[in-house]
Amino acid sequence: MGKEFVNVDLVRLSQTALPIARDYDKDKNGTLNKSEYTNFMTEWNKEHKDQSPLLMQLHTKTLTPQALELAKKCDIDSYKGVLTENELKQFMDLCEKKKITKIFKSGTSVKTILTGESETEVASKTAYKNNDDNILSEVNIRSALLRNWMKLDLMSFKGSDKFFHAVGNYEAMRSGSEAIVKEVCAGQDEDKRKNTKRPEADFTEDLYANWLGRELYKMYPDKCPQDLFKALAPTGFDIETSKKSLYKIGCKKNKEKDNWLSKKVKQYSEYFKLDYVRKRIKEEFFGIF
């Protein structure tokens, strides 16, 4: 979990680990402090020794032979055959450096990548083709990512951010070239690092979710991304609602909670008055022309 301990948010844990960890969250604040985490890991290791309790992990058995050779160089902790946190970052960087174009075995599902459990193979009738690299595609990419972020905000479901990261990158790949998607996301991720106080491991997991979105699009460009990445969605998250338009999601939320939409509009109005936000909008959209 890193050299300097930071409270572990329960949403970072796998669906197998989460029920066990909840009992050790004694102050019920949704995180495990150092002593709570130590006690949880003692219990976890009784039946799951040498298995990572994290959600965002990569089981190397899902990799092609070329990618597997790189993964072995990165697999340095006790979870052999599974990459987590810093190992994931090193692996993604190595794949980029070595220009590995086929990373996962054909038919591999997101659930198998994350958990190692076998699942029905995924098939695609459409071959991947990189989209054009131009100003229009960049506008479409940024718009797709913005719509995805607004859905995340409107649904406001704790622990769903990794799901939206993956879905957003998949949808962005539909809108333009991979090079622009990576460039835009890299700029946004760096901005988050500078302006948000979060553990570095959490940022790495965001990068990994982004990367999965792009890599799975290249494998299965004709799928519904919400269904493809359902293994990343937390328990109780409404996958079907996440497929709907921003307008329909907003209307549904408004019916469930009286006067909710007007409060949200007011929140956005206040939010977009901030100098920082205006600067970001100018950089994101107007700076590309």
Side-chain angles (χ1 to χ4, degrees):
M1 286 289 175
K3 294 180 181 178
E4 187 176 333
F5 189 90
V6 179
N7 278 19
V8 178
D9 196 313
L10 293 183
V11 300
R12 293 187 60 215
L13 302 180
S14 69
Q15 293 305 310
T16 303
L18 188 58
I20 301 171
R22 283 200 181 106
D23 291 339
Y24 292 91
D25 180 20
K26 300 303 181 184
D27 50 10
K28 302 302 176 187
N29 65 350
T31 70
L32 300 180
N33 61 34
K34 192 170 184 177
S35 62
E36 290 171 339
Y37 180 71
T38 300
N39 293 334
F40 155 67
M41 284 303 295
T42 299
E43 182 66 27
W44 172 258
N45 286 330
K46 288 178 181 177
E47 293 187 19
H48 305 279
K49 187 172 174 56
D50 301 326
Q51 295 179 30
S52 168
L54 296 172
L55 168 66
M56 300 304 289
Q57 54 187 344
L58 187 159
H59 283 254
T60 59
K61 70 178 185 179
T62 62
L63 300 174
T64 60
Q66 193 177 13
L68 180 58
E69 287 305 307
L70 299 182
K72 287 177 179 177
K73 296 177 182 178
C74 302
D75 192 5
I76 58 176
D77 61 13
S78 60
Y79 308 129
K80 296 304 177 187
V82 177
L83 302 184
T84 61
E85 296 181 339
N86 291 336
E87 295 172 333
L88 283 171
K89 179 67 168 59
Q90 292 170 22
F91 175 66
M92 290 186 288
D93 288 345
L94 269 178
C95 288
E96 180 79 14
K97 182 179 179 181
K98 300 291 185 179
K99 294 181 167 46
I100 306 295
T101 56
K102 188 169 176 56
I103 294 171
F104 295 105
K105 294 176 182 176
S106 298
T108 301
S109 72
V110 175
K111 181 179 179 181
T112 305
I113 292 169
L114 296 176
T115 67
E117 298 172 25
S118 298
E119 193 175 46
T120 304
E121 287 195 349
V122 184
S124 181
K125 295 180 181 179
T126 306
Y128 165 67
K129 181 181 178 182
N130 198 11
N131 290 308
D132 293 334
D133 186 345
N134 53 45
I135 290 176
L136 181 59
S137 73
E138 185 167 353
V139 171
N140 290 338
I141 285 167
R142 293 179 186 275
S143 298
L145 290 168
L146 177 61
R147 287 195 301 272
N148 182 70
W149 173 79
M150 292 186 76
K151 281 189 178 184
L152 165 64
D153 190 53
L154 286 172
M155 292 189 73
S156 300
F157 198 99
K158 186 174 175 60
S160 65
D161 62 321
K162 303 301 182 285
F163 168 83
F164 278 104
H165 271 279
V167 169
N169 273 257
Y170 184 102
E171 292 177 336
M173 289 282 283
R174 280 178 173 166
S175 305
S177 76
E178 182 185 12
I180 296 179
V181 176
K182 287 159 69 173
E183 181 183 344
V184 171
C185 288
Q188 293 176 346
D189 290 331
E190 186 59 32
D191 183 69
K192 280 191 222 171
R193 273 191 172 84
K194 291 177 181 177
N195 295 283
T196 311
K197 291 183 178 179
R198 287 161 59 197
E200 186 63 23
D202 196 32
F203 284 116
T204 297
E205 291 173 344
D206 286 352
L207 292 176
Y208 179 47
N210 290 344
W211 184 75
L212 283 176
R214 297 193 294 269
E215 292 303 321
L216 269 290
Y217 175 79
K218 287 188 283 186
M219 293 173 69
Y220 315 117
D222 57 357
K223 299 301 174 188
C224 169
Q226 289 84 0
D227 289 336
L228 193 63
F229 293 103
K230 61 185 178 183
L232 282 170
T235 302
F237 180 77
D238 190 341
I239 297 284
E240 293 305 311
T241 293
S242 74
K243 297 177 185 178
K244 296 179 180 178
S245 67
L246 283 171
Y247 174 76
K248 288 184 177 179
I249 291 174
C251 289
K252 181 177 186 294
K253 197 85 172 185
N254 204 42
K255 285 181 180 179
E256 294 172 350
K257 296 185 177 181
D258 292 340
N259 208 31
W260 179 88
L261 200 54
S262 61
K263 290 178 182 177
K264 201 68 180 175
V265 170
K266 184 179 179 182
Q267 177 191 332
Y268 279 137
S269 298
E270 293 299 317
Y271 179 63
F272 285 109
K273 288 178 184 177
L274 297 173
D275 288 339
Y276 164 71
V277 175
R278 291 202 301 270
K279 179 173 177 290
R280 286 295 299 164
I281 291 174
K282 184 178 179 181
E283 290 174 352
E284 286 285 326
F285 287 96
F286 299 107
I288 62 180
F289 294 104

